[in-house]
Amino acid sequence: MAVRLIVVGAGSRGAVYAGWVRAHPEAARIVAVAEPRAAHREQLARDHDLPADAVVADWRELVDRPRFADGVVIATPDVLHAEPAIAFAELGYHVLLEKPMAPNADDCRRIVAAVERHGVMLAVGHVLRYTRYTERIKAIIGAGRIGEIASVAHLEPVGYWHQAHSFVRGNWRDQARSAPMLLAKSSHDLDWIRYVVGEPCVQVSSFGSLQHFHAGARPAGAADRCLDCAVEPSCAYSAVKIYLGRVRTGYTGWPVDVLTSDLTETGVTEALRTGPYGRCVYACDNDVVDHQVVAMQFASGATATFTMTGFTRQRDRETRIFGTRGELYGDGSTIEVHDFLTDRTETIRTDVALDGTEHAAAGHSGGDARLIARFVAAIATGDRTQILSGPAESLESHLMVFAAEQARRDGRVVDVVP
Ligand SMILES: NC(=O)c1ccc[n+]([C@@H]2O[C@H](COP(=O)([O-])OP(=O)(O)OC[C@H]3O[C@@H](n4cnc5c(N)ncnc54)[C@H](O)[C@@H]3O)[C@@H](O)[C@H]2O)c1
């Protein structure tokens, strides 16, 4: 029988998971949605043929009822994760919770305590764990091909326009209203590093700042909105270039579709004239960092460094893993493994399946689909190992993030206390 799921928050992420369910009716079906935005709520209701009483504006209306589904996908904004996660866990629902679990350690601990107390499964949206690329890296390390890990150097190249879109003009620009950069964007990375190293992180230090996207870096003659700006043609972060430039080539996917539901040139121009995404990047109400580094010490003495920077072209994360018998480099799709004994390098393409066929992997290199597929399989079979991050490990990687942010703010080394 298909696993019954509720979607709480039918925004971008809720739609991704619901889309997978729609494409796999034999495995799962959506039985209710909670979403305050009428257009998004009705779209999901139509796509999944939901009866009127299963379509509500707020998740609280669903927890007033006895349990009527197997699991819940919680894809609300970061600050609205803990309460629904705990409420649904208390009713016995298995929970797929978008990352970050919550913006503070106390709420993360409360979520983990609730799922453990009620014996339900928790899958946090750490989609990078679920990609074929990561699976191969774990297998290479697990087979001992590079020996013991001594150090890891991991780069998250956010991309200059993605930084401007999400972290200067957009929803994740303001720490108080969303989360620090490390939690909003890089909780994936610290979690991934912890997963790859395969042991607890014990200490962290960190540095980083908002170097560029503030009034002090504003070019002479810049206007508050790109549509009115005389120096717009010479600005790499121009909203005209980033959004209208794409619309004019016929592209209306992310990030353009975040601005408005009217995806014509007129609609997007209007959004740039009146909405947050048309603002000068040097005249926004943003405070999250545009670059940050974290140094990590693991239980065995292995170390890792992480660099997040907005000042890159758009591309995938890159990692170097230095082991006692070999060295591994990965760029998100291709892995190079160099063996010290033979001094040979093997190159492995992870966008090619083992039978040699190429596969296009959408959504975090296939991680989105594999996460929801495994969550559904875990519910269907009761096999918790389908979920690649248990509650304790998810909590641990969030605690790494909070400790690193504290280390940056205080300018000191911070212990990661479980
Ligand atoms: N795993 C990933 O890689 C990844 C990527 C992007 C975002 N995220 C996370 O996913 C979550 C959602 O992000 P998004 O980009 O989909 O944002 P979004 O704004 O598109 O969607 C959030 C939705 O929650 C709805 N909502 C607000 N209050 C609600 C309530 N009381 N009940 C039900 N729904 C409510 C909003 O109306 C909105 O439609 C965030 O926590 C975000 O950090 C994860």
Side-chain angles (χ1 to χ4, degrees):
M1 206 178 75
V3 166
R4 297 161 304 164
L5 296 176
I6 298 170
V7 172
V8 173
S12 307
R13 299 298 300 169
V16 166
Y17 297 121
W20 182 90
V21 171
R22 201 170 169 212
H24 298 85
E26 72 298 342
R29 66 193 169 94
I30 307 287
V31 294
V33 60
E35 163 61 53
R37 294 190 292 175
H40 290 69
R41 183 173 68 233
E42 297 307 331
Q43 180 68 51
L44 195 138
R46 269 195 304 279
D47 288 349
H48 296 268
D49 210 8
L50 299 181
D53 66 347
V55 183
V56 299
D58 193 284
W59 58 270
R60 289 175 189 81
E61 295 179 52
L62 301 177
V63 293
D64 283 345
R65 306 175 188 178
R67 185 167 77 82
F68 60 95
D70 306 299
V72 60
V73 173
I74 300 178
T76 42
D78 301 352
V79 292
L80 298 177
H81 283 185
E83 297 317 317
I86 292 167
F88 280 98
E90 281 173 349
L91 286 169
Y93 290 96
H94 301 293
V95 180
L96 191 166
L97 177 61
E98 256 308 350
K99 63 97 248 198
M101 293 168 72
N104 59 68
D106 282 352
D107 279 351
C108 294
R109 289 185 202 279
R110 287 202 301 129
I111 294 167
V112 169
V115 299
E116 287 180 343
R117 198 165 51 244
H118 295 280
V120 296
M121 292 187 256
L122 173 69
V124 175
H126 286 307
V127 290
L128 298 186
R129 286 188 179 222
Y130 291 83
T131 62
R132 277 175 209 278
Y133 169 76
T134 304
E135 193 175 73
R136 290 276 179 96
I137 288 180
K138 283 288 283 182
I140 290 163
I141 294 167
R145 288 189 55 190
I146 61 167
E148 281 174 34
I149 295 176
S151 28
V152 176
H154 181 76
L155 170 70
E156 184 185 14
V158 177
Y160 71 96
W161 60 259
H162 185 179
Q163 181 79 27
H165 170 79
S166 295
F167 304 101
V168 180
R169 298 182 168 112
N171 291 347
W172 289 274
R173 66 184 182 272
D174 171 2
Q175 285 198 47
R177 286 175 46 200
S178 61
M181 183 73 176
L182 213 51
L183 190 64
K185 187 83 177 80
S186 312
S187 60
H188 275 313
D189 297 274
L190 297 202
D191 179 76
W192 191 86
I193 292 167
R194 195 275 172 229
Y195 182 53
V196 163
V197 175
E199 57 178 271
C201 172
V202 291
Q203 282 192 309
V204 289
S205 65
S206 180
F207 301 94
S209 66
L210 179 59
Q211 184 182 334
H212 187 63
F213 298 107
H214 55 73
R218 184 172 171 154
D224 286 350
R225 285 195 176 266
C226 300
L227 284 174
D228 310 322
C229 183
V231 297
E232 176 276 318
S234 62
C235 179
Y237 305 100
S238 155
V240 173
K241 177 189 136 199
I242 293 173
Y243 303 109
L244 280 180
R246 284 182 166 76
V247 172
R248 285 172 186 150
T249 66
Y251 176 85
T252 54
W254 187 86
V256 183
D257 59 358
V258 175
L259 275 59
T260 171
S261 50
D262 178 355
L263 293 169
T264 61
E265 190 169 335
T266 313
V268 172
T269 304
E270 180 57 20
L272 295 189
R273 195 175 309 289
T274 56
Y277 294 94
R279 296 179 297 170
C280 170
V281 289
Y282 306 104
C284 289
D285 49 350
N286 57 309
D287 64 2
V288 302
V289 300
D290 51 28
H291 68 295
Q292 184 164 358
V293 294
V294 180
M296 287 152 265
Q297 162 105 296
F298 288 83
S300 68
T303 55
T305 57
F306 167 66
T307 299
M308 176 299 285
T309 176
F311 305 106
T312 66
R313 66 183 161 77
Q314 197 71 20
R315 65 178 189 277
D316 224 325
R317 292 154 162 103
E318 285 167 35
T319 311
R320 294 178 194 278
I321 305 176
F322 306 99
T324 51
R325 295 176 60 94
E327 180 180 342
L328 182 152
Y329 169 77
D331 66 2
S333 58
T334 299
I335 301 167
E336 290 170 8
V337 186
H338 187 87
D339 185 315
F340 297 158
L341 187 64
T342 61
D343 250 329
R344 292 234 166 85
T345 301
E346 184 193 358
T347 302
I348 301 158
R349 278 185 58 193
T350 63
D351 53 354
V352 175
L354 292 174
D355 66 2
T357 54
E358 306 236 350
H359 55 81
H364 291 107
S365 307
D368 291 354
R370 295 179 111 214
L371 167 62
I372 177 82
R374 279 176 164 264
F375 177 62
V376 165
I379 295 176
T381 61
D383 174 10
R384 287 170 185 257
T385 64
Q386 291 285 337
I387 297 169
L388 298 179
S389 54
E393 208 172 301
S394 290
L395 176 61
E396 195 189 305
S397 75
H398 280 71
L399 295 179
M400 284 168 72
V401 171
F402 297 126
E405 190 53 18
Q406 187 184 350
R408 182 185 75 85
R409 280 197 317 268
D410 297 355
R412 64 184 176 90
V413 175
V414 174
D415 294 339
V416 182
V417 182

